[in-house]
Amino acid sequence: MKIRRRAAAYGVCRSTGGQVLLTRGSADCAFPGVWSLPGGGIDQGEHPADTVVREFAEETGLDVRITGVRAVLADLARLPDDSIEHTDRIVYDVEVTGGTLRPETAGTSDLAAWADPAAHPLLPFAAGVLGVPFEAAVIEGPFGEPERPAQVQRFGAYALATDPAGRVMLTLIADGFPGAGQWHLAGGGTDFGETPEQGLARELYEETSQLGRITGLAGISHSYNPSAVGPEGIPLDWHVIRVVYRVSVEEPVAAAVTEAAGGSTARAAWFTADEARNLRLTEVARDALAQAG
């Protein structure tokens, strides 16, 4: 069985009358005639927010701006060729700033329209985001390794984890990995078939021994390094998409790395805000801590 993985971004855009802008799948897509939110695959090196702006222009003719992040999710789908595809999806709220509504000229959609979502057959993820009842397909593993393209696009979930004393949990990146020697947020790439929340819980425990509760979404970021070199010394066209969650660790324990030897985390520790300011931090950790005050 062939398995694939992709990352995509979409936008929810509502009219003043409460209708939602939807696009219909064309004969060139996996599910012709089924409606979805405007959006699509994130290009290598592209910020997910930029994906939404580009896809709206291509699929609907409209210019939009991002107003917020609505949801981050992941799902599995069985495609017509019987392969299994895992899609990590970031869904934004957007508003129209210009343009004229028109269908995509050539692509995976053939119609764009303001519509009542409940009146059309929707892709399951779109139905879930819009609150329309749907029957979820059950796809069970075990799964093998997905196809590994020459360009590596990694979807990760990270924790801005704090305890009742206000300390923050940080992890030290091991030698041989991008950012080695810097302190980072706990987290990492999600596995095939995992939701971001499941991946975050697993990574937080593997890297720090903590159990936490997600309390909100802190932000979306990305990093692109076409000349990165992996731990095996092999060049990588490396694009990582990061979702950062606020996490409360209500019963903190001593920090310890439990993942198998050879992982990307050398050690983990709790720090006060003053201590964290004096550390050599990754850009992601620095931005998250600044946002948290």
Side-chain angles (χ1 to χ4, degrees):
M1 177 178 60
K2 186 177 292 187
I3 62 175
R4 303 186 182 94
R5 187 162 183 178
R6 66 193 286 265
Y10 304 84
V12 175
C13 188
R14 294 187 182 274
S15 69
T16 54
Q19 292 182 310
V20 178
L21 188 58
L22 299 175
T23 57
R24 186 178 65 187
S26 71
D28 293 329
C29 78
F31 303 102
V34 181
W35 293 73
S36 180
L37 296 170
I42 300 169
D43 287 346
Q44 188 75 355
E46 187 176 46
H47 192 288
D50 294 333
T51 300
V52 172
V53 174
R54 173 179 57 77
E55 289 281 351
F56 261 80
E58 293 174 358
E59 295 183 347
T60 73
L62 298 178
D63 301 322
V64 297
R65 75 174 187 91
I66 305 294
T67 60
V69 181
R70 174 174 288 253
V72 181
L73 55 150
D75 55 75
L76 296 175
R78 188 178 298 277
L79 302 184
D81 65 359
D82 207 37
S83 63
I84 304 298
E85 185 172 76
H86 171 129
T87 305
D88 297 293
R89 307 183 196 266
I90 300 173
V91 183
Y92 293 90
D93 287 313
V94 306
E95 65 179 15
V96 175
T97 60
T100 301
L101 185 63
R102 51 114 180 112
E104 189 171 13
T105 54
T108 56
S109 69
D110 59 13
L111 182 62
W114 297 102
D116 174 3
H120 298 282
L122 298 173
L123 290 178
F125 92 90
V129 168
L130 297 173
V132 177
F134 68 98
E135 185 175 343
V138 178
I139 301 175
E140 297 181 344
F143 303 105
E145 286 295 320
E147 296 176 341
R148 188 180 181 91
Q151 294 180 318
V152 178
Q153 195 172 68
R154 186 171 185 253
F155 192 92
Y158 294 82
L160 176 57
T162 56
D163 71 358
R167 299 181 301 171
V168 62
M169 171 59 66
L170 296 172
T171 60
L172 184 65
I173 300 175
D175 291 342
F177 290 86
Q182 294 180 295
W183 288 91
H184 195 32
L185 300 179
T190 59
D191 289 343
F192 192 92
E194 270 188 331
T195 65
E197 294 85 356
Q198 291 168 338
L200 181 66
R202 174 183 53 76
E203 288 280 350
L204 182 64
Y205 184 77
E206 289 177 354
E207 293 184 348
T208 73
S209 301
Q210 312 301 312
L211 299 177
R213 175 175 58 86
I214 293 175
T215 60
L217 187 63
I220 308 290
S221 69
H222 84 132
S223 177
Y224 180 47
N225 185 353
S227 59
V229 176
E232 299 86 3
I234 300 173
L236 302 173
D237 186 348
W238 181 263
H239 182 206
V240 58
I241 300 161
R242 303 185 185 95
V243 180
V244 180
Y245 292 93
R246 294 185 183 88
V247 175
S248 174
V249 179
E250 292 158 3
E251 297 182 7
V253 299
V257 181
T258 65
E259 65 182 346
S264 61
T265 303
R267 57 179 288 230
W270 287 104
F271 294 98
T272 66
D274 287 338
E275 291 170 338
R277 290 190 188 98
N278 296 317
L279 296 175
R280 186 180 170 215
L281 299 171
T282 63
E283 182 180 1
V284 175
R286 186 170 61 249
D287 290 347
L289 291 172
Q291 181 184 8

